[in-house]
Amino acid sequence: MEKKQRESWGSRLGFIMAAAGSAVGLGNIWRFPYMAGTNGGSAFIIIYLAFALIIGISVMIGEFAIGRRTQLAAVGAYKAINKNWTFAGVLGVISAFFIMGFYPVVGGWASAYILKSFTGLLSNPAAIGDAFGAFITSAVEPSIWLIIFLAANIIIVAKGVSGGIEKAGKILMPTLFGLLILIAIRSVTLEGAGGGLEFLFKPDFSEVTGQTLLAALGQAFFSLSLGMGCMMTYGSYLNKSENLPSNALIVTLLDTGVALLAGIAIFPALFAFGVEPAVGAGLVFVVVPQIFAQMGTLGIIFSALFFIALTVAALTSSVSLLEVVVAYLMDQRGWERKKSVYAAGGVMAILSVLSSLSMGVMSGFTVLGVGIFDFFDILTDKIFLAIGGMLLAIFIGWFVKREDLEDELTNGGTIKFGLFNAWYALMKYVIPLAVLVVAVMGILSIEQTGLMIFGLAVIAVLALFSKKL
Ligand code: PFF
């Protein structure tokens, strides 16, 4: 079979913007602040940073290396090295489908809130919480918004790697940084903002529990787009002359930087207005508009800017999730890009509409004890990503030739990777063990036992039939 020239990134900056775009998403701006808020603030943040900077970077280097080595996306990459491991790639594709079964719903909410900022959302601060509840439980409006959000994904990914994904990242990512910095400056200059900064930067480790550690590791993984072959897929489009470890370092620093920036944008304002930090998952959609509602016309502008930033961040992440599936269909099934995008996007649209409806009209319908939205969310966040990350570390440490890894990470000996031995030991011993402990703790802490057993059974069945996949 004639081999087609593989698509590749147009430039180094383009790749970094795309990879950072994948990493920076709802996980940083929506999830991170509320996780920090409900887990006591500063101590959680420091632990999360440590996990991201040690485990996260290492796993990302591993994903980049396997992707570029094999020039294949997740499934093909595992398969090319060891057929018994094909299932780990397939698990990644399933995770991508499942995350895209709920992520566009929240992306749609964010898009809707850009418009809502201008159409009276902020005029009655006391009603913002109820308005959010009414909006997400209605049948038609959120579905329309999620379809618009998904359509944007489909257009970008259909244009291909350098034409679509890379261009979008290059324009949208700097826009996001700029907006967040602007909002952060506004936030810290409010009267009474000091309490928020203290909450963010003055740690109290006495409050740290096993749950805090678990939450912090999970957050680091989700936020860096690891554990499902996404960075592997992006690595497969990467030029042979790029320095993988330094790229992983830059992407990780950008990702953690944006999370911190989101914290600085939100908490000082929260404290300035006397809002409780541990409000939970409604933080962004309920509390942020409430904060801005107290600032008059300027607040409307800031609110719209904030939700533009959130939409942009969600979009550059969701295109990477769609790309994982599309690359699989192209690499393994030989499909054309456009056909792959429309087929995958169509399935995702159906899953997401069901997820959205599960907030309201279909709330009585449950799968293994949870609604459809929660089914996709819990299954991926709490089971598939953690196990996917652990599998990758075991695969690298025990099933890939050490020389091959060294060759890939030093570009055939032409550049230096001084920390190779330390990285290899981390991947081989420390990370599998650490993630195993965390995964077990995580899975044990899930209340939905049926869902947990289902998730593990899916992985076991995949592993059993790995050679046939
Ligand atoms: N990292 C994204 C976020 O923080 O929102 C979510 C994500 C994207 C997870 C891509 C996994 C992935 F493969």
Side-chain angles (χ1 to χ4, degrees):
M1 193 176 80
E2 200 189 331
K3 197 146 175 22
K4 266 196 291 180
Q5 174 76 36
R6 191 168 186 77
E7 295 177 69
S8 66
W9 305 106
S11 67
R12 173 163 196 214
L13 184 71
F15 165 71
I16 288 181
M17 284 300 154
S22 166
V24 176
L26 296 171
N28 304 61
I29 303 179
W30 165 70
R31 202 168 187 251
F32 174 78
Y34 95 72
M35 292 293 281
T38 49
N39 284 287
S42 184
F44 168 87
I45 293 171
I46 289 169
I47 297 164
Y48 150 80
L49 285 176
F51 283 149
L53 295 175
I54 300 168
I55 297 180
I57 290 184
S58 303
V59 171
M60 194 181 293
I61 291 172
E63 288 207 19
F64 283 165
I66 299 294
R68 193 178 65 170
R69 184 83 183 167
T70 57
Q71 295 277 293
L72 291 166
V75 178
Y78 274 110
K79 194 178 201 163
I81 295 174
N82 188 328
K83 285 207 167 56
N84 289 323
W85 281 83
T86 309
F87 80 99
V90 173
L91 180 63
V93 173
I94 295 175
S95 300
F97 259 118
F98 282 13
I99 295 178
M100 284 303 275
F102 72 91
Y103 208 89
V105 176
V106 185
W109 296 346
S111 327
Y113 267 57
I114 300 171
L115 196 71
K116 285 181 187 291
S117 300
F118 295 106
T119 54
L121 173 73
L122 308 186
S123 58
N124 185 359
I128 289 174
D130 290 344
F132 177 67
F135 168 59
I136 67 165
T137 53
S138 64
V140 180
E141 202 189 343
S143 297
I144 293 172
W145 282 104
L146 83 83
I147 299 280
I148 294 172
F149 180 81
L150 253 174
N153 281 272
I154 288 170
I155 292 167
I156 292 171
V157 178
K159 283 194 192 308
V161 167
S162 71
I165 298 176
E166 179 172 341
K167 271 218 184 78
K170 255 195 198 147
I171 298 168
L172 296 179
M173 288 307 292
T175 310
L176 170 65
F177 292 141
L179 284 174
L180 272 178
I181 288 171
L182 211 75
I183 297 171
I185 291 172
R186 176 71 195 123
S187 186
V188 295
T189 50
L190 287 169
E191 208 173 309
L197 291 172
E198 207 166 284
F199 181 78
L200 280 173
F201 296 114
K202 208 167 151 210
D204 173 8
F205 285 98
S206 68
E207 300 280 304
V208 173
T209 64
Q211 279 298 317
T212 320
L213 294 176
L214 174 63
L217 187 66
Q219 177 61 26
F221 250 90
F222 184 83
S223 171
L224 289 166
S225 302
L226 298 172
M228 50 157 287
C230 179
M231 290 302 181
M232 213 182 270
T233 303
Y234 272 24
S236 77
Y237 303 125
L238 194 50
N239 193 292
K240 284 286 180 195
S241 62
E242 286 300 341
N243 183 331
L244 299 182
S246 79
N247 275 308
L249 177 68
I250 293 170
V251 171
T252 305
L253 291 180
L254 285 174
D255 185 63
T256 47
V258 170
L260 288 178
L261 207 53
I264 296 172
I266 289 173
F267 285 107
L270 267 183
F271 277 76
F273 292 115
V275 181
E276 176 57 38
V279 287
L283 192 62
V284 166
F285 291 100
V286 179
V287 177
V288 170
Q290 231 158 30
I291 290 166
F292 289 132
Q294 309 186 22
M295 296 181 195
T297 317
L298 200 63
I300 293 178
I301 311 266
F302 277 118
S303 172
L305 285 177
F306 182 83
F307 287 108
I308 290 172
L310 192 62
T311 304
V312 164
L315 190 62
T316 53
S317 297
S318 52
V319 294
S320 74
L321 289 155
L322 178 55
E323 179 65 17
V324 168
V325 179
V326 167
Y328 160 73
L329 293 172
M330 291 170 68
D331 284 354
Q332 303 304 308
R333 304 268 164 238
W335 289 20
E336 292 294 321
R337 173 170 284 277
K338 284 211 161 65
K339 178 181 167 191
S340 312
V341 173
Y342 298 145
V347 175
M348 289 163 181
I350 295 169
L351 299 181
S352 294
V353 168
L354 290 174
S355 275
S356 180
L357 294 178
S358 77
M359 299 277 151
V361 289
M362 281 176 66
S363 62
F365 179 80
T366 58
V367 190
L368 298 168
V370 295
I372 300 169
F373 187 107
D374 291 341
F375 175 81
F376 292 137
D377 183 0
I378 297 171
L379 210 54
T380 48
D381 282 3
K382 303 264 158 54
I383 303 177
F384 287 178
L385 289 194
I387 303 237
M390 188 187 69
L391 290 173
L392 176 88
I394 296 172
F395 179 69
I396 293 231
W398 301 87
F399 293 87
V400 182
K401 284 205 202 85
R402 190 190 161 109
E403 307 83 74
D404 289 352
L405 291 166
E406 191 154 17
D407 183 67
E408 195 59 39
L409 292 175
T410 59
N411 295 354
T414 56
I415 55 165
K416 268 209 150 56
F417 177 30
L419 292 172
F420 179 81
N421 288 333
W423 171 79
Y424 190 71
L426 270 173
M427 291 300 275
K428 195 172 177 112
Y429 305 107
V430 181
I431 295 174
L433 209 72
V435 177
L436 179 71
V437 170
V438 168
V440 169
M441 283 167 69
I443 287 167
L444 288 181
S445 74
I446 293 178
E447 285 154 28
Q448 297 82 5
T449 323
L451 194 58
M452 173 198 89
I453 293 169
F454 172 77
L456 293 176
V458 167
I459 297 169
V461 169
L462 288 176
L464 225 52
F465 292 101
S466 192
K467 283 205 172 104
K468 296 213 164 62
L469 293 169

